[in-house]
């Protein structure tokens, strides 16, 4: 969906290895807060939000209660992953794996391999919240669609002859 796409994908610009790192930033944002940074009920507005990046509200990008207990390290990593331009400033995969937030939270050993660990209870709760919100939005769209359909179709149209 558009809320995970990098601006260069939406604009049909050149795609690089760092393009996928934008999506990692969106996923990290969701994991630590439970909210998608660019999502809107309207797909076109979501695309506009992505294209604008945090430019549309940079000062207030973390000014939500969901970020009250999110570490500065996590916020910094999100900022480094959701760099719109120049893309060369966006973190690469190797920069990301060497980031302190990743090292601490993924329990990377000296060999660089991830130790067995599950998501924190906060991250699991945040994913559930996001999924619940999206399900409610889908339900709302279904009801809206059924309402429009109901206005256009009479009971006589539905009877089988």
């Amino acid at each position: 969906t558009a809320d995970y796409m990098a601006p260069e994908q939406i604009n049909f610009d050149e795609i690089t290895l760092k393009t996928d790192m934008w999506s990692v930033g969106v996923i990290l944002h969701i994991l630590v807060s439970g909210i998608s940074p660019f999502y809107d009920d309207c797909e076109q507005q979501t695309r506009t939000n992505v294209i604008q990046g945090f430019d549309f509200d940079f000062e207030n990008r973390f000014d939500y209660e969901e970020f009250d207990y999110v570490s500065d390290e996590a916020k910094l990593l999100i900022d480094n992953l959701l760099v719109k331009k120049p893309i060369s400033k966006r973190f690469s995969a190797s920069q990301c794996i060497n980031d302190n937030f990743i090292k601490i939270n993924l329990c990377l050993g000296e060999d660089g391999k991830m130790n067995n660990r599950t998501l924190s209870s906060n991250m699991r709760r945040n994913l559930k919240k996001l999924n619940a919100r999206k399900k409610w939005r889908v339900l709302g769209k279904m009801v809206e669609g059924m309402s429009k359909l109901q206005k256009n179709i009479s009971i006589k149209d539905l009877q089988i002859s």
Side-chain angles (χ1 to χ4, degrees):
T1 59
D3 46 335
Y4 294 92
M5 292 173 68
E8 58 268 24
Q9 289 173 292
I10 293 173
N11 289 329
F12 300 102
D13 294 337
E14 181 183 353
I15 304 298
T16 69
L17 292 173
K18 290 187 177 184
T19 298
D20 288 334
M21 298 312 293
W22 177 278
S23 300
V24 171
V26 171
I27 292 166
L28 178 60
H29 191 287
I30 292 167
L31 283 173
V32 299
S33 71
I35 54 177
S36 180
F38 307 111
Y39 181 82
D40 190 275
D41 287 336
C42 171
E43 180 81 9
Q44 188 54 47
Q45 185 58 49
T46 298
R47 289 174 182 270
T48 299
N49 293 346
V50 170
I51 290 168
Q52 291 176 344
F54 279 137
D55 293 350
F56 70 94
D57 197 15
F58 187 79
E59 292 301 317
N60 298 313
R61 70 197 180 287
F62 299 124
D63 195 20
Y64 300 95
E65 67 181 57
E66 289 86 353
F67 280 98
D68 286 351
Y69 300 102
V70 174
S71 70
D72 289 339
E73 291 83 3
K75 293 175 188 175
L76 182 60
L77 180 56
I78 290 168
D79 276 343
N80 285 321
L81 289 166
L82 296 181
V83 172
K84 187 173 74 168
K85 287 194 176 187
I87 296 171
S88 61
K89 299 257 186 206
R90 190 180 301 158
F91 262 25
S92 66
S94 60
Q95 287 172 300
C96 188
I97 204 77
N98 288 312
D99 184 82
N100 283 336
F101 178 79
I102 296 294
K103 283 182 181 178
I104 292 166
N105 288 282
L106 292 183
C107 297
L108 295 180
E110 293 297 320
D111 57 1
K113 292 184 179 177
M114 196 173 13
N115 297 332
N116 291 333
R117 183 173 175 188
T118 59
L119 290 175
S120 72
S121 59
N122 282 344
M123 289 183 180
R124 283 194 304 271
R125 185 184 73 244
N126 288 337
L127 281 174
K128 287 178 185 176
K129 275 189 345 190
L130 178 72
N131 286 333
R133 274 192 215 119
K134 286 190 173 188
K135 286 177 184 175
W136 275 109
R137 287 179 182 138
V138 167
L139 179 64
K141 287 182 181 189
M142 287 174 61
V143 169
E144 181 182 347
M146 293 301 291
S147 175
K148 287 178 183 178
L149 193 63
Q150 187 176 17
K151 289 178 186 175
N152 295 324
I153 297 176
S154 70
I155 297 296
K156 290 187 291 184
D157 295 333
L158 296 176
Q159 292 177 348
I160 300 173
S161 44

